[in-house]
């Protein structure tokens, strides 16, 4: 079956459409990642305006992340079966409408419902962005550059969240951290409807609903259990029951998929060495690096006395570093190979985390935030792009959307688990102390732990990642 989204004749119209695809995919990914972090600095204003409790405030973040992680595989498979363009439009439309509803919310429950709907839209949108991009750009250096751009824009969204949220909250209102998505979403929807070509690589068929229900409930349950650790701890029943229940549901999902004629996730996908190893590596890198933004922000504000705006500005060099790392990755991949670049990037990131763990309560900006942060994020950008490329290269055309969803799920779930674990590690080291020295000791231990996770991931990648040479090298 010919994929109409990837014409073989490279006409001017085709090149225009390719750039339209890359632009739409990158903007969609930017919005998805941005909304993971952009609300952080607006939480106090939300609490005051809507009368949210402490637990309710936490759920402004959790409602999004749980829906996002829980529905990602389903969203990726839907893109394969029903069309990438259709799922892109559906996901972005839901995300945009939910952003509008959240920005206009008058009650706390309305905001939480809107955030959950945003997460659902993001789960449909995120896999479609990557499959649209990989379908429009043939494998080789061009695709590597496109994926590098996609990774850089997504990373930039996460990095810029604190600054954008601070500017909008201070200059306008907390509502604009959500409402800003509306005009951007409408413009991208209009452009996508006009310029994107539909394409799907699998036969249109019914989704494996038992599998979809099990994996969605399992991932959502695990994500819920993870976020409960911050409030209840790891040994509380409120944490253990959803965690164990989620693991049981995922085990049942594997059993069902092994016996279903047309499964949601064919288990042979994980049998591909490139897919399995790259996803595990992405999970570990996500678990170590996602929390960096949180701990750097609270260190700058709670210990060094920065305002929210100053903290956002202080992290701008690290934001630029991850974008540059992601953009340089495709060119370096052509020279040294995807595996070698992933290893180098992980070493650079681990060095940055080690340096950051030497932070002190009276640290200078250059040596306690800027330079180690640049190393951490430049290394992350260098490592993530080849890992995504390796994962996609191991998928058949009809399963690209599924693997894209799996890559995003691995990174998201890794980040959620890592933040929960590292927050517990930091709190245990602080042992109730609230002074600058106590807080710094807790944050430093979290960075040392992250560095250790990256070194463990490095060993895994050395022995498990396949060597994948770009078409330039073949």
């Amino acid at each position: 079956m010919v994929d109409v989204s990837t014409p073989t004749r490279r006409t001017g119209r085709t090149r225009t459409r390719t750039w339209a695809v890359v632009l739409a995919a990158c903007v969609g990914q930017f919005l998805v990642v941005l909304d993971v972090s952009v609300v952080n600095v607006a939480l106090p204003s939300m609490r005051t305006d809507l009368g949210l409790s402490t637990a309710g405030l936490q759920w402004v973040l959790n409602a999004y992340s749980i829906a996002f992680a829980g529905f990602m595989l389903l969203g990726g498979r839907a893109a394969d079966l029903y069309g990438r363009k259709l799922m892109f439009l559906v996901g972005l439309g839901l995300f945009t409408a939910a952003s509008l509803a959240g920005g206009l919310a008058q009650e706390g429950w309305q905001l939480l419902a809107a955030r959950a709907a945003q997460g659902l839209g993001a789960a449909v949108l995120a896999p479609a962005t990557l499959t649209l991009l990989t379908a429009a750009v043939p494998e080789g250096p061009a695709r590597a550059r496109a994926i590098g751009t996609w990774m850089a824009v997504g990373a930039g969204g996460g990095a810029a969240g604190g600054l954008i949220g601070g500017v909008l909250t201070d200059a306008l209102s907390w509502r604009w951290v959500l409402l800003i998505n509306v005009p951007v979403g409408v413009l991208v929807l209009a452009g996508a409807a006009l310029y994107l070509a539909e394409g799907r690589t699998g036969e249109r068929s019914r989704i494996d609903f038992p599998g979809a229900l099990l994996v969605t409930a399992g991932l959502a349950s695990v994500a819920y259990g993870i976020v409960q650790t911050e409030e209840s701890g790891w040994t509380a029943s409120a944490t253990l029951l959803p965690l164990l229940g989620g693991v049981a549901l995922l085990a049942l999902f594997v059993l069902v998929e092994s016996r279903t004629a047309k499964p949601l996730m064919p288990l042979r996908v994980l049998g591909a060495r490139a897919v399995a190893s790259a996803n595990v590596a992405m999970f570990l890198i996500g678990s170590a690096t996602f929390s960096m933004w949180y701990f750097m922000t609270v260190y700058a504000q709670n210990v060094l006395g920065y305002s929210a705006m100053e903290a956002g500005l202080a992290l701008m060099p690290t934001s630029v570093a991850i974008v540059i790392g992601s953009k340089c990755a495709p060119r370096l991949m052509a020279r040294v190979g995807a595996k070698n670049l992933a290893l180098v990037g992980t070493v650079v990131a681990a060095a940055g985390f080690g340096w950051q763990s030497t932070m002190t309560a009276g640290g200078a900006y250059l040596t306690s935030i800027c330079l180690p942060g640049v190393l951490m994020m430049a290394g992350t950008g260098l490592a993530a792009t080849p890992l995504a490329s390796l994962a996609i290269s191991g998928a058949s055309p009809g399963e690209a959307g599924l693997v894209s969803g799996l890559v995003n799920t691995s990174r998201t779930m890794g980040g959620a688990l890592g933040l929960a674990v590292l927050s517990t590690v930091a709190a245990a080291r602080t042992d109730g102390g609230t002074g600058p020295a106590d807080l710094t000791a807790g944050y430093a231990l979290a960075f040392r732990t992250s560095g250790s996770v990256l070194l463990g991931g490095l060993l895994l990648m050395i022995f498990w990642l396949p060597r994948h040479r770009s078409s330039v090298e073949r």
Side-chain angles (χ1 to χ4, degrees), residues 33 37 154-164 293 312 315-316 318-320 322-323 377:
V33 179
S37 59
L163 178 59
I164 293 174
W293 304 109
L315 293 178
M316 283 303 296
T318 62
S319 304
V320 173
I322 194 169
V323 172
M377 290 298 100

Side-chain angles (χ1 to χ4, degrees), residues 159 162-163 297 307-317 319:
L163 178 59
T297 300
S307 68
M309 182 78 72
E310 289 170 339
L313 290 171
L315 293 178
M316 283 303 296
S319 304

Side-chain angles (χ1 to χ4, degrees), residues 8 41 51 56 87 133 196 206 280 291 295 315 323-324 351 360 420 445:
T8 57
V41 296
M87 289 299 104
L133 188 148
L196 298 190
R206 296 178 62 186
V280 173
S291 61
F295 284 112
L315 293 178
V323 172
I324 291 176
T360 63
L445 181 57

Side-chain angles (χ1 to χ4, degrees), residues 299-300 302-305 358-364 368 435-441 443-444:
Y299 170 63
N302 296 343
V303 176
L304 301 183
T358 63
M359 60 207 295
T360 63
S368 292
D438 295 323
L439 293 174
T440 302
Y443 302 152

Side-chain angles (χ1 to χ4, degrees), residues 16 31 47 76 86 132 137 193 200 229 239-240 253 274 346 366 396 409 418:
T16 300
L31 291 176
R47 180 175 187 174
L86 176 61
L132 275 169
V137 184
R200 55 188 174 86
T229 60
T239 298
L240 290 177
F253 165 73
T346 304
L366 191 63
S396 64
T409 300

Side-chain angles (χ1 to χ4, degrees), residues 357-383:
S357 70
T358 63
M359 60 207 295
T360 63
Y365 167 71
L366 191 63
T367 55
S368 292
I369 292 181
C370 182
L371 295 180
V374 166
L375 278 182
M376 284 187 278
M377 290 298 100
T380 301
L382 290 174

